[in-house]
Amino acid sequence: MDVGTMGGLTGGHGGRPDLVLRGRAVLPEGERPAAVAVTGGTIVAVGPADARFDAVEDRTLCPDEVLIPGLVDTHVHVNEPGRTEWEGFATATAAAAAGGVTTIVDMPLNSIPPTVSPEALDVKRAAAAGAAAVDVGFWGGAIPSSLGSLRALHDAGVFGFKCFLAPSGVDEFPHLDRTQLDAALDELAEFDGLLIVHAEDPDELPHGYGGGRGYAGYLASRPDGAEVAAVEHVVEGVRRTGGRAHVLHVSSAEVLPVLRAAKADGLRVTAETCPHYLTFTDTDVPDGATRFKCAPPIRGSRNQDLLWEALDDGTIDLVVTDHSPSTVELKTAGGGDFAAAWGGIAGLQLGLAAVWTQAERRGVPLASVVGWMASATAGLVGLDDRGAIVPGRRADLAVLAPDAELVVDATRLEHRNPVTAYDGAQLRGVVRETWLAGAPARPGVGRGALLDRPTHVALTAT
């Protein structure tokens, strides 16, 4: 059959597809040769690689390239306005596009004001308008002063609400105590809002950590038990209210039995982990190397193996970068003192390469990586118009050379400040091109849309 005559090929140039891409592709059923036809920014057909299309542009990928859906990163700290010297919408979305990410969802901190009211969301949107190279959505914040008024921010279009159960590191975004966590879950259950949780229990964090250059001391200051206790609190709250919660950046494998039990009981609890937990272990962090500082921290090798197993069996649903940059001065404050330096890993441009490098070594197929970083993340926030190469979805796409290698040079990355834990790392997987709605996504070209939370679907990871 001439695929170009199939239903759905409308619009464009007299009914002709604008673009056809041919080559290996990661589809929902796995990786295979395919031809993907695009009209008006939407995928209109997926056929065999030799399918006949009368397209305006017909392009065959190089033999070493694979077409993948654009990634959806639901955990990105852009920091603009207020701390734009740390990062900004132009630089963060340039890094996203360079890494094959076509949609980001921005965290409500560390911007000033934090996104904790409709008025603050308006300020954030004004900062992003015209600057974003990829699509941008927004999380709201659940802090003590915003409890009781979350519905208004939900109705303004945020995708859900971020809270901390331990101090966030910035005064304008205080954490929730146990009673306030319960209040937030009660409030969100009334309109089925999603709570996303930085899960560390401050009562389980040992007192007296004095800092210093030793990574072992910093690791001991953020023990596994703090994550476990916090996730238990969240699960108890979801069980009581029937609501929904998502556990952010799982670093400790000791959390996994709690998550498995919650899922077995049918609770609406999902979880994520991050490329740095899947890539580095504690022995990779030299003393004084504060570019690796994050909370919760990078842990041991057996712990890392268990995180990979949890992704495979579905206990952990998805992978996001938690791109949390700062200035070089803040990241290296104290001359290598882990107490003084800002915590956070800048890795938005490198997330796919980092995860694929480790996945390939472990025999994990590229289709699984794409599932965790595109379709599952899109599902978390209800963006069912993207995240997979399927007719009817947006033509948000990336061309990946999975066997190509790169040595990371922090000074050549697109994010604002040249510091990252990945500096000097040898990774596999080079993104050669990214398309946003069927057109090239380019740094400095503000084609990205500002997204509202979809209202027609439940927000669940798939």
Side-chain angles (χ1 to χ4, degrees):
M1 176 182 287
D2 181 347
V3 181
T5 66
M6 295 174 64
L9 299 185
T10 60
H13 299 73
R16 301 166 62 195
D18 302 320
L19 172 69
V20 170
L21 296 169
R22 303 178 187 272
R24 285 188 296 155
V26 174
L27 307 178
E29 63 271 22
E31 186 177 326
R32 66 171 174 82
V36 178
V38 176
T39 297
T42 298
I43 298 169
V44 292
V46 178
D50 60 355
R52 292 173 54 199
F53 290 100
D54 179 22
V56 176
E57 179 182 359
D58 198 314
R59 173 175 164 184
T60 299
L61 273 58
C62 295
D64 67 335
E65 296 175 337
V66 179
L67 187 69
I68 65 171
L71 306 186
V72 177
D73 193 334
T74 56
H75 195 149
V76 177
H77 294 265
V78 176
N79 305 330
E80 184 180 10
R83 292 189 174 95
T84 309
E85 69 275 15
W86 294 18
E87 188 64 285
F89 284 101
T91 50
T93 59
V101 178
T102 50
T103 303
I104 66 169
V105 187
D106 171 62
M107 284 290 165
L109 74 163
N110 300 302
S111 57
I112 301 174
T115 313
V116 294
S117 68
E119 295 76 18
L121 177 62
D122 289 342
V123 172
K124 181 68 72 77
R125 284 177 162 276
V134 302
D135 287 359
V136 179
F138 303 92
W139 295 109
I143 63 175
S145 63
S146 69
L147 298 181
S149 59
L150 301 180
R151 181 61 185 259
L153 189 51
H154 173 86
D155 291 345
V158 298
F159 284 81
F161 296 86
K162 165 77 173 284
C163 73
F164 280 75
L165 302 187
S168 72
V170 292
D171 292 341
E172 67 274 3
F173 204 94
H175 68 286
L176 303 183
D177 63 24
R178 177 73 183 277
T179 299
Q180 291 163 338
L181 169 66
D182 287 342
L185 286 166
D186 286 339
E187 184 176 354
L188 293 177
E190 294 177 0
F191 52 88
D192 204 32
L194 176 64
L195 188 68
I196 64 172
V197 185
H198 180 120
E200 290 182 289
D201 186 333
D203 291 340
E204 300 295 327
L205 297 177
H207 300 290
Y209 172 59
R213 293 176 54 84
Y215 183 69
Y218 175 68
L219 180 58
S221 77
R222 315 294 295 215
D224 301 80
E227 282 191 72
V228 174
V231 174
E232 288 175 341
H233 297 333
V234 172
V235 169
E236 289 168 8
V238 171
R239 189 184 305 279
R240 178 179 56 80
T241 62
R244 297 183 296 129
H246 177 72
V247 180
L248 300 169
H249 45 50
V250 171
S251 82
S252 172
E254 292 187 18
V255 167
L256 301 177
V258 183
L259 293 173
R260 288 192 178 102
K263 289 173 180 258
D265 289 345
L267 301 183
R268 293 191 294 168
V269 175
T270 54
E272 68 186 37
T273 193
C274 304
H276 41 279
Y277 301 130
L278 301 172
T279 298
F280 304 116
T281 67
D282 55 353
T283 58
D284 295 318
V285 184
D287 287 349
T290 52
R291 68 185 184 276
F292 291 93
K293 180 184 176 182
C294 55
I298 294 164
R299 304 188 188 275
S301 60
R302 178 55 183 158
N303 181 89
Q304 184 182 85
D305 291 341
L306 292 172
L307 295 180
W308 277 98
E309 292 175 14
L311 281 165
D312 182 61
D313 68 23
T315 303
I316 296 177
D317 300 271
L318 51 95
V319 179
V320 291
T321 62
D322 188 8
H323 177 71
S324 186
S326 69
T327 63
V328 175
E329 292 74 18
L330 281 171
K331 195 62 185 160
T332 59
D337 185 333
F338 276 90
W342 178 258
I345 304 292
L348 181 55
Q349 185 171 337
L350 301 168
L352 174 59
V355 176
W356 169 239
T357 299
Q358 298 301 318
E360 194 272 338
R361 292 174 182 170
R362 293 170 180 267
V364 176
L366 180 60
S368 294
V369 173
V370 169
W372 300 325
M373 302 185 78
S375 59
T377 46
L380 174 71
V381 291
L383 291 174
D384 59 359
D385 64 340
R386 64 196 71 200
I389 300 177
V390 175
R393 304 282 182 105
R394 278 170 49 104
D396 292 349
L397 303 163
V399 173
L400 176 72
D403 297 326
E405 296 187 346
L406 69 152
V407 176
V408 177
D409 178 350
T411 66
R412 302 186 67 179
L413 298 176
E414 296 286 348
H415 68 259
R416 185 176 299 275
N417 289 283
V419 59
T420 177
Y422 298 97
D423 193 27
Q426 184 167 331
L427 303 178
R428 292 169 67 87
V430 174
V431 174
R432 291 182 175 161
E433 195 161 3
T434 302
W435 282 276
L436 183 69
R442 305 204 186 282
V445 180
R447 292 185 53 246
L450 305 185
L451 305 176
D452 287 328
R453 171 187 49 80
T455 59
H456 60 288
V457 291
L459 308 188
T460 55
T462 56

